[in-house]
């Protein structure tokens, strides 16, 4: 079963479960995403919403060093996960807020993250790398990979990108 939201957001990780259980999982994901979205309603600009969504995800979830929690459902359920959980959750939240975003991947670094559109400009945004694992769990959040250009992406090792080939992140406003 593939979890899918109304805007076509999919978790690439397939989860084997009965239809009733899958329906419950989809409902759970929608409800959890809805809770995050409701915390962002007071923010007026797309920039504020993107920054706050990033921070909420980094503050409330932990990187799964066992690499077992690798889809949106397990990420939301266990509050830990890999880049898939961070990225699909971040994308689901932003899309529910009406913010244009796309996921992008790199086979060189075996990683996925987002590109988000703010005020007509595209930027890379990676909540996973801004919430590094530690012995204490989460809590070492940064904003180093919050909004950045293609140039910074290349310099930071985000190379061999695919998934959003026609999008260029030219602005260095937040680099």
């Amino acid at each position: 079963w593939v979890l899918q939201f109304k805007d076509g957001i999919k978790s690439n990780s397939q989860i084997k479960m009965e239809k009733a259980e899958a329906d419950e999982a989809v409902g759970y994901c929608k409800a959890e995403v809805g809770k995050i979205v409701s915390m962002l309603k007071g923010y007026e600009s797309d920039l504020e919403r993107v920054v706050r969504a990033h921070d909420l995800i980094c503050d409330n979830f932990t990187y799964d060093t066992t690499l077992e929690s690798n889809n949106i459902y397990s990420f939301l359920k266990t509050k830990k996960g890999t880049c898939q959980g961070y990225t699909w959750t971040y994308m689901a939240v932003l899309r529910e807020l009406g913010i244009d975003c796309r996921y992008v991947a790199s086979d060189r670094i075996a990683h996925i993250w987002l590109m988000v559109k703010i005020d007509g400009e595209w930027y890379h945004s990676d909540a996973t790398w801004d919430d590094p694992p530690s012995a204490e769990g989460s809590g070492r959040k940064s904003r180093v990979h919050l909004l950045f250009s293609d140039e910074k992406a290349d310099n930071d090792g985000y190379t061999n990108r695919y998934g959003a080939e026609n999008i260029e992140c030219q602005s260095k406003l937040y680099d």
Side-chain angles (χ1 to χ4, degrees), residues 4-172:
Q4 184 172 352
F5 287 83
K6 68 177 183 170
D7 291 330
I9 301 167
K10 293 183 180 179
S11 170
N12 279 346
S13 302
Q14 292 192 7
I15 306 169
K16 293 181 182 182
M17 57 179 68
E18 298 297 320
K19 181 171 178 2
E21 187 181 8
D23 289 344
E24 183 179 320
V26 169
Y28 181 83
C29 289
K30 286 182 179 182
E32 291 299 304
V33 167
K35 288 177 188 176
I36 297 170
V37 168
S38 71
M39 290 185 255
L40 302 169
K41 290 293 185 182
Y43 295 94
E44 302 270 331
S45 73
D46 286 351
L47 175 61
E48 290 174 309
R49 291 177 182 173
V50 167
V51 170
R52 190 65 186 127
H54 167 277
D55 290 353
L56 280 170
I57 291 168
C58 290
D59 287 343
N60 292 290
F61 295 87
T62 305
Y63 189 80
D64 178 16
T65 56
T66 69
L67 308 179
E68 291 177 12
S69 180
N70 61 3
N71 59 70
I72 190 171
Y73 177 61
S74 62
F75 185 73
L76 291 168
K77 195 84 169 162
T78 66
K79 305 296 185 220
K80 64 181 182 179
T82 61
C83 59
Q84 291 94 339
Y86 280 87
T87 300
W88 297 124
T89 301
Y90 194 16
M91 185 163 66
V93 168
L94 295 182
R95 286 195 173 172
E96 284 294 317
L97 291 166
I99 297 170
D100 199 1
C101 59
R102 308 280 193 288
Y103 82 90
V104 63
S106 169
D107 53 4
R108 189 185 84 62
I109 57 175
H111 187 55
I112 65 171
W113 64 97
L114 289 184
M115 288 182 174
V116 299
K117 192 173 188 179
I118 299 172
D119 297 328
E121 295 286 341
W122 284 96
Y123 301 90
H124 295 271
S125 190
D126 186 355
T128 311
W129 280 12
D130 277 349
D131 192 22
S134 69
E136 303 82 39
S138 195
R140 298 186 326 144
K141 173 190 75 193
S142 75
R143 290 183 174 167
V144 172
H145 302 100
L146 175 57
L147 297 168
F148 57 102
S149 67
D150 284 341
E151 183 177 318
K152 181 172 175 16
D154 292 342
N155 291 338
D156 287 355
Y158 290 84
T159 56
N160 294 34
R161 295 185 291 271
Y162 61 91
E165 290 83 357
N166 297 323
I167 298 175
E168 293 183 353
C169 301
Q170 298 297 319
S171 175
K172 298 178 187 174

